[in-house]
Every structure is written in C-alpha cells, then in structure tokens.
Amino acid sequence: GENVEQHPSTLSVQEGDSAVIKCTYSDSASNYFPWYKQELGKRPQLIIDIRSNVGEKKDQRIAVTLNKTAKHFSLHITETQPEDSAVYFCAASIGGAAGNKLTFGGGTRVLVKP
Amino acid sequence: DTEVTQTPKHLVMGMTNKKSLKCEQHMGHRAMYWYKQKAKKPPELMFVYSYEKLSINESVPSRFSPECPNSSLLNLHLHALQPEDSALYLCASSQAQTGAGELFFGEGSRLTVL
C-alpha cells in the first residue's frame, strides 16, 4: 500500500518568515495530494490540494508543489502568522478506489512565534 | 450546509459496555469514512462506505462494527473494547466518484475505555 513520509516533525518559525513542509510518497499511482491543518482539539481541515496533472498551485499565502518523477510534494507558507500555528498533515490518494482512500503523513507541528 | 456532525463529543465506557458513535452529513456525499486518531498521530483509516455499502475495511478488529443505515448517517458500534482503543474517532464524508476530492471531517468523538 501507499506510504507517506513527512518532514520535519516540528517546525518553529518567526512571525513573517516562510515555512516549508516536505512529503514523499511511495506509490506512483497516487494522483491526489491534499494538505490538512488541524488545530488543537479541532477537526482536520483542508487548506490546499493538488492533483497529479498539475505541478504547482497557490492560494494566497499557501502554495503546494508536486514533483511526480521524484514522488515528493511540498507545502509553502509565506508571511507566517501566529494563527498558522497548528499540526499540518500531507496525504496521498490512489485513484481507482471509490471515494478517496487517503494515506496521511506523520504530521508537522508548526509553531509561529510572534 | 458543509458540516459533518458527530455525537457524542465525549464517551467513557468500560470494557464490557456496548455503545455507538453517530455521524450525520447533509451535503449529498455518498462516501463516508471512519478514522481513528491517537494523540500526536495522523488519522488512520478504519472503514469506507460508498453508496451505503462497505467498500474498505482496513483489517479493523470485530469489536468495531460500522453501519450505514442511509446516505446521510454513519454509525460505529463499539463492544468489548480495550483501553488501547481510547482515541479520537473522526467521521468524514466526500463525493463518491473515483478519485474524489476533499474529505470533510467532523469534530470527532473522543473515546476513553476504562
């Protein structure tokens, strides 16, 4: 089955700096790569996603890049703010299954220091 | 309505009890999921229902019994659980077609097994 590795496990940045989280996946059949943000005691919420036919996607301060050849994808957060502090999970999904069977990475705990 | 509602929010049960977790969505999604999340870990897929039929069972012990009575409801019946089953149980829903996009998560039911 699919295996998703995520690094780093913790990330501390100064407010206004950029944060980068990297993930690798094992199954070349994966074609959907979402990123979820989970605040303490809250539900995971989708912040951005990318499909395998796209190399980069941006939404305001958040961007995701995908390298299918290397089987890795990254989340970039620019101009970080204290409210960006949370745990971020990458995930990968293999097409062909009914619905969306997501395999999550181990998570990155991001702390933005004011 | 883009919400997935889970009840109860908290549940404490003994190892001999029988209890149920409930999940409801009114987004017209025909794929529904149960995930288990331990502290500081990513969500782990347990079950997927597609068009009210069980499509994926990730080798979950039989003390967890899912049920999808209609397209809006998903239950997880619990019986003879172990203390290590204590976790946050997340319900999610999505469109059901192959390679569907975003999973919408509920806030979860936090289960403690004594």
Side-chain angles (χ1 to χ4, degrees):
Chain A
E2 175 65 283
N3 183 50
V4 179
E5 301 279 344
Q6 183 172 346
H7 299 281
S9 57
T10 59
L11 181 58
S12 182
V13 297
Q14 208 65 40
E15 182 178 358
D17 288 351
S18 294
V20 180
I21 304 171
K22 298 183 179 183
C23 289
T24 59
Y25 60 98
S26 61
D27 196 322
S28 56
S30 289
N31 60 6
Y32 176 66
F33 307 92
W35 287 86
Y36 281 82
K37 175 183 180 182
Q38 188 174 27
E39 298 178 24
L40 192 62
K42 300 283 189 182
R43 74 185 81 190
Q45 289 194 290
L46 182 76
I47 56 171
I48 196 167
D49 57 10
I50 192 167
R51 293 190 183 272
S52 58
N53 58 348
V54 176
E56 184 173 357
K57 184 176 179 181
K58 188 173 181 180
D59 183 3
Q60 299 183 328
R61 297 186 297 109
I62 295 172
V64 58
T65 58
L66 170 65
N67 183 326
K68 283 170 51 181
T69 303
K71 290 190 282 189
H72 69 69
F73 56 114
S74 301
L75 178 72
H76 303 253
I77 306 174
T78 58
E79 300 172 26
T80 53
Q81 300 168 4
E83 53 264 38
D84 294 329
S85 296
V87 178
Y88 292 80
F89 293 103
C90 64
S93 173
I94 298 174
N100 216 345
K101 181 182 173 180
L102 292 181
T103 300
F104 285 87
T108 297
R109 188 171 301 274
V110 174
L111 175 63
V112 180
K113 295 179 286 184
Chain B
D1 185 0
T2 58
E3 283 223 342
V4 175
T5 304
Q6 290 187 241
T7 56
K9 291 192 183 335
H10 300 275
L11 178 63
V12 179
M13 59 186 291
M15 289 188 286
T16 58
N17 291 159
K18 284 186 180 181
K19 297 285 185 183
S20 296
L21 306 181
K22 298 185 183 301
C23 175
E24 187 169 6
Q25 57 88 16
H26 295 288
M27 293 179 278
H29 290 163
R30 302 301 293 275
M32 296 186 76
Y33 311 75
W34 280 115
Y35 279 85
K36 173 182 177 180
Q37 187 176 27
K38 302 280 273 186
K40 299 186 179 181
K41 296 292 186 182
E44 293 179 23
L45 183 65
M46 300 175 72
F47 303 103
V48 181
Y49 272 83
S50 178
Y51 294 96
E52 294 85 70
K53 291 192 186 332
L54 184 65
S55 61
I56 296 175
N57 177 340
E58 293 286 274
S59 303
V60 178
S62 60
R63 58 185 184 268
F64 295 92
S65 176
E67 178 195 20
C68 190
N70 61 52
S71 60
S72 300
L73 295 174
L74 184 67
N75 298 322
L76 185 63
H77 302 297
L78 314 171
H79 174 55
L81 295 192
Q82 303 296 311
E84 58 265 29
D85 296 323
S86 298
L88 181 68
Y89 289 84
L90 292 163
C91 174
S93 71
S94 77
Q95 296 177 1
Q97 65 265 32
T98 299
E102 179 177 1
L103 265 65
F104 291 80
F105 284 90
E107 292 285 5
S109 293
R110 187 164 299 281
L111 173 67
T112 302
V113 182
L114 301 176

